[in-house]
């Protein structure tokens, strides 16, 4: 085995270091497999209950009226996530688009959007208008308010209670940390927050940005009171096979609003050709629980290796997981770049290229990204990225298979050692 890894340039010392740590993680990996098993059964059950058949994989074009595969898939998603309705479309171009759509369709001029759990994901700053941007919610007269987390990462309930007012229409909660070093929230924690805000204002709409959280736990935020959960199909629920797409699952009312905004008033869910992507959507959802488990095991291996080397990692090596993202703070630009070079060097696609920091649309600092993906930008595939700005943290995620994630982590460690950022 060691020789095979040596063929990738991994030294005997790096191999031994990583494998020693991996050995100690067997029990955790077992627990993850159990969650994957239950979620796998949940997906199969939803497919069987909705009588998924080969007919669902056909392709429609033009208006896409009566697209049976598309309509059935939306029922499957609604069943898996235990919601009244779902919108799952290739016309939703990415996660940001899905979130923007959910917000813009459910808010009206004069309403206020409220984030009780701190700053939202970078790209949403432009959607909301925190950073002025064409077409933002701010341009339409929708105001925004936020309450930061307390220094220990918990919810500031006292100030949350004070911030909810008569204009508050929609509350957004982001499950995953995104590009922050705060903890990601478990479904249980999100449930507590939802209970709290709904006690103050029962009619408020709660949206959860579910990116990277799907199938990590046995339940989803929609089972704990969220009116909408929103995510990207080139993350967990696409299982690595969906080539594009996003979803909004939630109450009939919220999803209907989103559908009328995605297409047009009067048309809603009735149009939107599936253009031949349906089989990959179904098969990707089918694989997703096990793919998510592979990514989780990779994240845990990385957390334990870098924690052991003395770097700050979020979540910690033995902490409960709420999403598939692993943050490692190197504190230096060299650390972030070496780590990303290692992930790239383990890729099945573009393994020969060297990633460089660049000005990525939607982000306000340079970002370095390592991705050798079959689907461009897919972050359920093994990938790492980090803004070139303090605290110089890298965000690592994905891995369609655990062996690939393991190779990537070993390569990253090799590059970190070679560049002198750490010593074994
Ligand atoms: C990825 C992500 C988004 C945005 O998704 P894109 O597909 O990159 O537009 C939003 N929120 C969170 C928490 C994410 O991880």
């Amino acid at each position: 085995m060691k020789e095979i890894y040596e063929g990738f340039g991994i030294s005997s010392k790096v191999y031994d270091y990583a494998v020693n740590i991996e050995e100690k993680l067997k029990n955790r990996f077992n627990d993850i497999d159990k969650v994957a098993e239950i979620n796998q059964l949940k997906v199969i059950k939803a497919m069987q209950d909705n009588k998924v058949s080969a007919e669902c994989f056909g392709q429609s074009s033009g208006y896409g009226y009566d697209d049976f595969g598309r309509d059935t898939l939306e029922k499957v998603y609604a069943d898996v996530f235990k919601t009244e309705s779902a919108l799952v479309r290739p016309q939703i171009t990415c996660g940001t688009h899905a979130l923007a759509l959910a917000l813009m369709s459910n808010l009206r001029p004069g309403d206020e959007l409220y984030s009780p759990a701190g700053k939202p994901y970078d790209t949403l700053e432009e959607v909301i208008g925190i950073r002025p941007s064409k077409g933002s919610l701010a341009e339409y007269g929708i105001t925004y308010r936020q309450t930061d987390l307390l220094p220990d990462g918990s919810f500031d309930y006292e100030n949350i209670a004070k911030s909810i007012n008569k204009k508050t229409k929609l509350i957004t909660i982001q499950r995953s940390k995104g590009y922050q070093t705060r903890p990601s929230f478990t479904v249980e924690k999100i449930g507590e927050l939802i209970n709290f805000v709904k006690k103050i204002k029962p009619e408020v709409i709660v949206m959860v940005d579910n990116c990277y959280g799907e199938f990590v736990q046995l339940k989803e935020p929609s089972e704990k009171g969220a009116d909408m959960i929103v995510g990207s199909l080139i993350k967990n629920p696409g299982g690595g096979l969906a080539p594009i797409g996003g979803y909004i699952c939630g109450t009939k009312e919220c999803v209907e609003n989103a559908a009328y905004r995605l297409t047009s008033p009067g048309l809603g869910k009735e149009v939107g050709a599936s253009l031949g992507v349906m089989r990959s959507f179904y098969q990707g959802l089918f694989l997703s629980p096990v793919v998510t488990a592979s990514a989780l095991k990779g994240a845990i291996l990385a957390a334990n290796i870098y924690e052991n080397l003395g770097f700050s990692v979020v979540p910690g090596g033995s902490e409960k997981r709420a999403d598939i993202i692993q943050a490692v703070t190197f504190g230096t630009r060299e650390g972030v770049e070496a780590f990303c070079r290692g992930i790239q060097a383990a890729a099945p696609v573009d393994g020969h290229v060297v990633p460089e920091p660049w000005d990525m649309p939607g982000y306000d600092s340079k970002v370095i990204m390592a991705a050798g993906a079959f689907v461009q930008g897919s972050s359920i595939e093994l990938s790492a990225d980090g803004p070139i700005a303090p605290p110089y943290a890298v965000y690592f995620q994905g891995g369609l298979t655990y062996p690939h994630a393991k190779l990537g982590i070993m390569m990253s460690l090799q590059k970190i050692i070679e560049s002198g950022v750490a010593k074994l």
Side-chain angles (χ1 to χ4, degrees), residues 166-418:
K166 61 179 191 306
K167 283 176 66 184
T168 312
K169 173 74 178 295
L170 198 153
I171 289 182
T172 179
I173 303 168
Q174 184 180 308
R175 182 170 176 182
S176 166
K177 69 178 88 53
Y179 280 151
Q180 290 173 268
T181 44
R182 66 141 166 106
S184 295
F185 305 132
T186 59
V187 172
E188 293 72 27
K189 232 176 145 202
I190 292 172
E192 284 167 24
L193 179 56
I194 295 175
N195 277 343
F196 183 81
V197 299
K198 291 239 171 182
K199 260 196 201 115
I200 297 169
K201 191 165 187 179
E203 70 277 23
V204 80
I205 299 169
V206 175
M207 178 187 89
V208 173
D209 174 350
N210 210 28
C211 281
Y212 290 128
E214 300 91 350
F215 301 124
V216 169
Q217 297 186 252
L218 294 175
K219 285 190 182 322
E220 301 292 335
S222 40
E223 294 167 74
K224 296 280 180 186
D227 300 286
M228 274 192 286
I229 58 172
V230 181
S232 163
L233 298 198
I234 63 168
K235 292 179 180 172
N236 308 16
L241 295 186
I244 189 171
Y247 74 86
I248 299 171
C249 294
T251 64
K252 189 165 173 288
E253 171 78 15
C254 286
V255 171
E256 215 164 64
N257 281 336
Y260 286 122
R261 174 83 192 210
L262 174 66
T263 63
S264 159
L267 300 179
K269 288 176 99 177
E270 306 285 321
V271 296
S274 59
L275 302 170
V277 297
M278 276 302 134
R279 189 161 55 113
S280 65
F281 279 19
Y282 279 100
Q283 198 172 0
L285 178 66
F286 168 74
L287 290 177
S288 175
V290 169
V291 167
T292 301
S294 303
L296 273 177
K297 289 177 195 170
I300 290 170
L301 178 62
N304 282 278
I305 286 177
Y306 285 101
E307 190 170 62
N308 219 44
L309 281 171
F311 293 104
S312 144
V313 299
V314 180
S318 45
E319 225 173 289
K320 184 178 163 72
R321 311 290 310 197
D323 64 11
I324 65 168
I325 300 189
Q326 183 61 48
V328 183
T329 301
F330 287 106
T332 61
R333 178 184 179 132
E334 292 70 39
V336 171
E337 293 192 17
F339 184 95
C340 289
R341 282 202 304 277
I343 298 300
Q344 187 75 39
V349 182
D350 290 334
H352 55 283
V353 307
V354 180
E356 296 281 349
W358 65 299
D359 289 305
M360 203 184 151
Y363 297 85
D364 62 4
S365 58
K366 275 190 195 285
V367 178
I368 183 167
M369 301 202 139
F374 293 98
V375 171
Q376 191 197 90
S378 164
S379 48
I380 185 60
E381 297 188 51
L382 189 69
S383 49
D385 34 50
I388 301 297
Y392 296 101
V394 78
Y395 298 81
F396 161 86
Q397 68 271 312
L400 298 184
T401 70
Y402 173 67
H404 180 211
K406 178 176 166 181
L407 174 66
I409 294 156
M410 282 201 208
M411 289 297 267
S412 76
L413 182 56
Q414 182 69 39
K415 304 284 182 199
I416 287 284
I417 299 303
E418 282 172 11

